[in-house]
Amino acid sequence: MPRRRGVWRWVAISVLLGVIVLGIVGEVMVHRAGPILKGRVIETLSARFRSRVEMDDFQVSLLRGIEVSGGGLRIYAPDDVVAAGATEPVIAIKHFAFHTGLAGLFIKPMHVGTVHVTGLEIHIPPKQMRAQNTQPKRKRFGKMKIVVDEIVCDDSRLIIGNINPNKDPKDFELQHIVMQDVGPNAPWQYDATLVNAIPKGNIHAVGSFGPWDAESPGDSSITGHYTFDHADLNPIKGIGGMLSSIGEFGGQLNRIAVQGTADVPDFSLDTANHPMPLHTRFEAVVDGTSGDTYLNKVDAKLGETSFMANGAIVNVKGKGHIIDLDVDVPAGRIQDFLQLAVKTEPVIMSGVVGMKAHVHIRPGKERVIEKLSLKGAFGIQQIHFTNPKVQDKVDMLSLRAQGDPKDAKPGAEDVRSQMKGAFTMSAGKLNFSNLAYTLPGGNIQMDGVYSLDGAQFDFHGKVRTDAKISQMVASRWKSWLLKPVDPFFSKNGSTEIPVRVSGTKSEPKFGLDLRHKDKDKDNAGVVTK
């Protein structure tokens, strides 16, 4: 028994000494592992980005392998780019963490499966600053001592700077990113969810990024496929609908080419609140250095009408964007555009429209229709007015103009007319000039204004008819009475009558406009003198 007690006493002492030794070794390893790993992280990042790296906080635990966490990590641009004014870190990380085995302390490079990052901010300096980095020689910043398979980032931002004082930097909110195969010389595979500000919604993108261009980060390559679903347009004053878009993109961070489609099955303007299906297929270039988007080609379809457009969406600092588009409608349905923009129900007319127009939408918080201006020319064939009263007046005017007044009665056979002219639009009103309206037996030259709410309808001009005034009345004795009047309205072998069309959308009024005829006489007298 005394011998056994002696053996157990020595065993206990040995175990205790072993625990003390392990504790001392562990304490030494913890104290040494921190600086070693911190040095490896900084040296690896310096070598990867070829730049200065700073870190505020770094913690190591060896309880379950190697557990590392830290924060306040900053990676700067090359020195000459910093000297040019890019003083903010190119990459800043609020917090990061990763785990690996204890063997990682003794193996180089250390292998890390996943690094978790929160609060990542990537600041791409303006291109003009990056151009300062012209030194052919590269500083040596050490070797890559840590290899990472995957980086998972939450609550991140990508900010592409702009040296132009009139341009806001391009700011992307990145909700969640997973980057895989994070090597130094090959593209990184990523799966990202971006938050789009206007219209509000999440954009999901999958593709490849890199290799990272340490000297000029904005020139780093990026490719991918995106989906953008259920983006509500209603917060944009003046328009409504739910937007969905899919597409492909590729290029560099500061210049990305995009191809895709966008669908709004219930697109509407608040001037009418008549939802219309809108489908577009587009090719564009996003310039990250300015925040501008150049629409090289847009093929669109509104209702049953196809048209093309191209132009630019230009960023204006602190205000939003200017939208400039050139639109070409080769052969569309005028009723589709009227249904979208005008409250009148049903639309005032149907027909085949050809149009070329320049669209300008200035920045601001007003409704879209208040910021919208148009300028262009159009032609409409096969016009038919949906209001029977209006169409009857047109039909009867055509019969009288042909010298067939007896058949000029309500319910007469409908005629198809045509119209062409130039127009401008601002403040919700369409102003027409050189408006030529042609129908069997005559034509009308008019100028006027039409408000999109249908409340204002005022046109004046001249009607030229094949028939004389006396030939436009059915009564024989009235025709004889009007014969002396014919010479007063005769001009170049036809009859010219000043007319005015006014009233409202529901009650248009047609009548003589002798006031404008008198003005024409006065003007002619002035010219003669």
Side-chain angles (χ1 to χ4, degrees), residues 219-230:
D219 294 332
S220 300
S221 298
I222 185 168
T223 63
H225 172 84
Y226 78 89
T227 57
F228 187 24
D229 292 324
H230 306 295

Side-chain angles (χ1 to χ4, degrees), residues 305-308 327-333 337 353-357:
T305 296
S306 297
F307 60 95
M308 291 82 72
V327 179
D328 182 10
V329 184
R333 303 197 319 165
F337 292 105
V353 62
M355 177 175 61
K356 292 183 182 291

Side-chain angles (χ1 to χ4, degrees), residues 21-181:
V21 170
L22 288 174
I24 294 172
V25 171
E27 185 71 17
V28 171
M29 287 181 66
V30 168
H31 282 288
R32 293 194 62 186
I36 291 173
L37 290 176
K38 183 176 181 179
R40 288 185 184 180
V41 170
I42 291 176
E43 187 173 355
T44 297
L45 294 174
S46 296
R48 179 65 190 86
F49 296 100
R50 298 176 182 174
S51 187
R52 176 167 56 98
V53 177
E54 296 178 352
M55 190 187 307
D56 294 336
D57 181 44
F58 194 85
Q59 303 291 330
V60 178
S61 172
L62 301 180
L63 294 178
R64 294 176 298 177
I66 300 175
E67 293 183 342
V68 176
S69 63
L73 176 63
R74 298 177 298 280
I75 303 171
Y76 291 88
D79 293 342
D80 42 3
V81 179
V82 173
T87 56
E88 291 190 63
V90 174
I91 297 176
I93 296 175
K94 289 184 179 179
H95 183 267
F96 67 90
F98 63 85
H99 176 273
T100 188
L102 285 172
L105 285 173
F106 311 101
I107 299 175
K108 295 181 181 180
M110 175 189 290
H111 182 268
V112 176
T114 302
V115 176
H116 295 274
V117 173
T118 55
L120 166 68
E121 286 193 6
I122 302 175
H123 290 261
I124 305 298
K127 192 171 185 177
Q128 295 86 342
M129 293 181 181
R130 302 198 306 269
Q132 302 299 318
N133 186 24
T134 57
Q135 296 180 0
K137 295 182 180 180
R138 303 284 187 261
K139 282 187 178 181
R140 296 185 61 84
F141 286 95
K143 298 180 180 180
M144 302 281 291
K145 294 188 175 181
I146 300 177
V147 176
V148 178
D149 292 338
E150 180 182 75
I151 301 176
V152 178
C153 304
D154 292 300
D155 301 325
S156 306
R157 293 172 65 198
L158 169 63
I159 303 169
I160 304 178
N162 196 305
I163 202 168
N164 189 334
N166 297 320
K167 300 282 188 180
D168 284 320
K170 196 67 176 175
D171 192 340
F172 299 93
E173 183 181 345
L174 310 175
Q175 190 177 72
H176 183 74
I177 313 173
V178 177
M179 290 182 286
Q180 297 176 331
D181 302 327

